[in-house]
């Protein structure tokens, strides 16, 4: 149990209760038994990236999604349309979230909304929260507070930021510290299956060589052993930690291998398996997580569950860059903007539209001018809706409207938007279709004097406004209070 050289704390049943709840939807979920059979920095490995990918059976969503496992667009097929399983890597809660984090979470929130509202797929999303970590311990020591207090504060801060950005909360959050028994059980299963080993120092490592050519499915590289300490107790330099022996004055839990805490990669594998068992429909995160984090998750889960394919689809979002620089926005580079500071200047709706103007997989350049341009675009949408409503109320006199053209344009736009969404959630193409519809609508709303006004056609403008608002509502954008 959790200790810092003090009294034991009782274990939590939170994870176990959630696991029981989800077993009915996602059999077999992680229990205390063994699993059932079933170009980043690094060095190349023989396991072919995406080699032998197995197309799932189940419900075809109608979406072609770019799958990082295969590096191509594959039909998105989920096991159960009523409960598509989605695991999202969540925050390591040691500081304020910044706009780079926001970009990834907003992009995947838009995808989740589209998958649910356009393609009728109910998503069960689990987000893991890393609330014990080297960075948390270091920051807590600097602030002279407990790691638990620090993590709790920044977890709540993160949730407030996500709510301010209108990111839907996951179906459930899972914290590492509330699932230590399940993580220990998961590690024991990997050891029992011959893919991990403990050391005299109390560490447990994943035995990378035991995977043979199966490692590297996602990116085709293995961890680079350069920089490995000379006193390392690993069998092979590329092996990675599943359990880390406690250091003096550090938070720790008791385990079969001695006091310590989980490695980073094992946390997500264990918590995802707790909820969804040995099969996962979707896994998402920033592109920087593909290696080594997601690659190691795949190795761990397939070793535990003894399956050929654990995660069916991996979705990765591109980085947010500061315009004019090739570097991503990150805390380590000290070039970040906090979400709170950003929202003092721009609305969450503007940021959402900004994210939609590029493909979720692509890097995106941030600058005040790009945000101002997006703000003007959203104001243009608002202006059209207001003018169309004024026309419908009889407060705006216009020349004769080519009603047949507008009805045709509206019908074509609906088809184009759904086709764009079905093509790897192509939001830029969908936005372009909406803006083209607005452009043609504006051309018909040319104000004239009442004496020269033509016959009124309010219905087509009503239908157009209704569809535009439905589109915006689908992706989480509101036109209210746009200034």
């Amino acid at each position: 149990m959790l200790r810092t050289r003090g009294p034991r704390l009782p274990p939590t049943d939170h994870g176990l209760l959630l696991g029981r709840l989800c077993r009915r939807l996602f059999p077999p979920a992680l229990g205390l038994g063994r699993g059932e059979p079933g170009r980043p920095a690094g060095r190349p490995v023989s396991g072919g990236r995406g080699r032998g990918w197995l197309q799932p059976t189940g419900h075809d969503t109608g979406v072609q999604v770019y799958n990082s496992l295969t590096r191509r667009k594959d039909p998105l097929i989920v096991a159960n349309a009523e409960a598509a399983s989605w695991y999202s890597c969540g925050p390591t809660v040691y500081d304020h979230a910044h706009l780079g984090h926001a970009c990834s979470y907003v992009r995947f929130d838009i995808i989740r909304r589209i998958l649910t509202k356009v393609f009728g797929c109910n998503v069960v999303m689990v987000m893991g929260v890393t609330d014990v970590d080297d960075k948390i311990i270091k920051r807590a020591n600097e602030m002279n507070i407990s790691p638990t207090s620090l993590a709790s504060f920044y977890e709540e801060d993160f949730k407030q930021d996500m709510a301010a950005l209108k990111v839907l909360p996951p179906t459930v959050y899972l914290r590492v510290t509330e699932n230590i028994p399940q993580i220990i059980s998961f590690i024991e299963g990997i050891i029992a299956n011959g893919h991990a080993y403990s050391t005299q120092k109390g560490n447990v490592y994943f035995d990378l060589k035991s995977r043979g050519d199966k490692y590297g499915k996602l990116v085709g590289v293995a961890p680079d052993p350069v920089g490995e300490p000379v006193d390392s107790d690993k069998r092979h330099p590329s092996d990675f930690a599943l359990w880390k022996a406690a250091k003096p004055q550090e938070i720790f839990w008791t385990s079969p291998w001695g006091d310590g805490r989980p490695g980073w990669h094992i946390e997500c594998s264990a918590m995802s398996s707790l909820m969804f068992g040995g099969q996962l429909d979707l896994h998402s995160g920033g592109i920087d997580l593909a290696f080594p984090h997601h690659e190691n998750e795949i190795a761990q889960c397939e070793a535990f569950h003894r399956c050929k394919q654990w995660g069916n689809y991996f979705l990765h979002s591109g980085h947010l860059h500061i315009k004019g620089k090739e570097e991503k926005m990150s805390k380590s580079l000290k070039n970040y903007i906090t979400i709170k500071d950003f929202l003092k200047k721009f609305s969450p709706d503007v940021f959402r539209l900004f994210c939609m103007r590029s493909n979720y997989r692509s890097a995106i350049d941030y600058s005040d001018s790009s945000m101002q341009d997006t703000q003007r675009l959203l104001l243009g949408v608002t202006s059209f809706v207001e003018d169309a409503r004024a026309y419908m109320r009889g407060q705006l006199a216009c020349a004769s409207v080519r009603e047949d053209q507008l009805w045709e344009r509206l019908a074509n736009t609906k088809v184009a938007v759904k086709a764009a969404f079905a093509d790897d959630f192509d939001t830029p193409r969908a936005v372009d279709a909406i803006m083209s519809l607005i452009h043609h609508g504006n051309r018909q709303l040319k104000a004239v004097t009442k004496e020269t006004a033509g016959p009124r056609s309010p219905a087509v403008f009503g239908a157009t406004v209704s569809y535009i608002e439905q589109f915006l509502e689908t992706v989480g954008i509101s036109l209210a209070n746009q200034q």
Side-chain angles (χ1 to χ4, degrees), residues 384-427:
F384 168 75
V385 169
E386 290 174 349
D387 287 348
R389 285 204 171 112
Y391 173 81
M392 293 161 60
R393 289 191 296 261
Q395 297 170 345
L396 178 63
C398 296
S400 295
V401 170
R402 294 296 304 271
E403 189 171 348
D404 57 337
Q405 291 183 0
L406 287 180
W407 281 119
E408 182 181 8
R409 178 66 60 174
L410 177 59
N412 291 342
T413 300
K414 290 180 179 181
V415 172
V417 166
K418 187 163 185 179
F421 284 159
D423 184 11
D424 195 32
F425 310 103
D426 192 344
T427 56

Side-chain angles (χ1 to χ4, degrees), residues 8-80:
R8 293 172 180 247
L9 295 177
T12 175
D13 292 328
H14 177 72
L16 290 172
L17 290 172
L18 288 170
R20 294 190 191 108
L21 179 65
C22 283
R23 282 190 182 98
R24 295 178 182 177
L25 291 175
F26 309 106
L30 171 65
L32 296 180
R34 303 291 174 252
E36 297 298 324
R39 227 32 73 188
R43 57 181 176 80
V45 294
S46 58
R49 174 178 37 75
R51 186 181 65 185
W53 181 75
L54 306 173
Q55 180 169 298
T57 58
H59 172 74
D60 191 334
T61 63
V63 175
Q64 291 279 325
V65 65
Y66 185 89
N67 188 358
S68 294
L69 275 171
T70 60
R71 294 208 176 177
R72 65 172 185 248
K73 292 178 184 178
D74 294 313
L76 178 56
I77 300 171
V78 298
N80 183 353

Side-chain angles (χ1 to χ4, degrees), residues 391 396-402 444-449 452-457 461:
Y391 173 81
L396 178 63
C398 296
S400 295
V401 170
R402 294 296 304 271
Q444 302 281 354
L445 285 176
K446 292 181 179 178
V448 297
T449 62
T452 59
R456 288 173 38 72
S457 303
F461 281 100

Side-chain angles (χ1 to χ4, degrees), residues 266-284:
I266 197 67
E267 302 164 357
C268 290
S269 292
M271 293 191 296
S272 174
S273 295
L274 169 68
M275 299 299 290
F276 301 130
Q279 182 186 51
L280 179 68
D281 292 322
L282 290 159
H283 197 318
S284 65

Side-chain angles (χ1 to χ4, degrees), residues 5 7 23 50 94 98 104 106 109 125 136 202 208 213 254 269 274 291 307 338 344 356 370 380 416 437 441 467:
R5 306 297 174 188
R23 282 190 182 98
Y94 72 99
H98 59 65
S104 181
V106 167
D109 180 71
M125 176 179 279
I136 294 172
L208 208 64
D213 65 355
T254 58
S269 292
L274 169 68
F291 180 84
C307 61
T338 67
K344 293 174 184 176
M356 290 182 68
S370 61
L437 175 65
Y467 175 70

Side-chain angles (χ1 to χ4, degrees), residues 86-278:
W86 184 335
Y87 185 86
S88 169
C89 288
T92 299
V93 283
Y94 72 99
D95 203 347
H96 297 292
H98 59 65
L99 218 53
H101 302 132
C103 187
S104 181
Y105 290 118
V106 167
R107 282 170 152 180
F108 285 124
D109 180 71
I110 291 167
I111 289 174
R112 179 185 177 189
R113 289 171 183 262
I114 292 169
L115 199 54
T116 301
K117 297 180 180 181
V118 178
F119 297 99
C121 190
N122 186 45
V123 172
V124 177
M125 176 179 279
V126 173
M127 180 177 287
V129 177
T130 299
D131 57 347
V132 60
D133 174 84
D134 290 339
K135 293 177 181 177
I136 294 172
I137 294 169
K138 181 176 182 292
R139 185 81 187 276
N141 288 338
E142 292 170 353
M143 298 176 66
N144 197 28
I145 60 175
S146 72
T148 302
S149 297
L150 180 85
S152 178
F153 174 83
Y154 282 115
E155 179 185 340
E156 184 58 31
D157 185 73
F158 169 81
K159 291 177 179 177
Q160 290 174 3
D161 282 344
M162 293 301 103
L165 290 168
K166 303 200 288 189
V167 172
L168 297 172
T171 311
V172 64
Y173 287 101
L174 290 181
R175 300 183 187 93
V176 170
T177 58
E178 292 181 341
N179 290 281
I180 297 297
Q182 291 74 32
I183 293 171
I184 289 173
S185 174
F186 199 88
I187 295 171
E188 288 178 318
I190 296 175
I191 293 173
N193 289 341
H195 295 286
Y197 58 91
S198 59
T199 70
Q200 290 186 341
K201 292 183 180 180
N203 296 304
V204 180
Y205 296 104
F206 190 92
D207 185 353
L208 208 64
K209 287 191 175 181
S210 73
R211 287 283 288 169
D213 65 355
K214 296 177 183 177
Y215 188 87
K217 284 187 173 184
L218 194 60
V219 295
V221 297
D224 194 333
V226 173
E228 191 69 28
V230 293
D231 62 344
S232 172
D233 55 347
K234 295 179 181 181
R235 290 180 185 169
H236 317 294
S238 295
D239 295 346
F240 56 89
L242 304 183
W243 185 263
K244 302 165 79 170
K247 297 177 182 177
Q249 306 305 313
E250 275 194 357
I251 191 170
F252 69 90
W253 288 260
T254 58
S255 80
W257 317 288
D259 296 339
R261 56 188 172 88
W264 177 37
H265 310 302
I266 197 67
E267 302 164 357
C268 290
S269 292
M271 293 191 296
S272 174
S273 295
L274 169 68
M275 299 299 290
F276 301 130

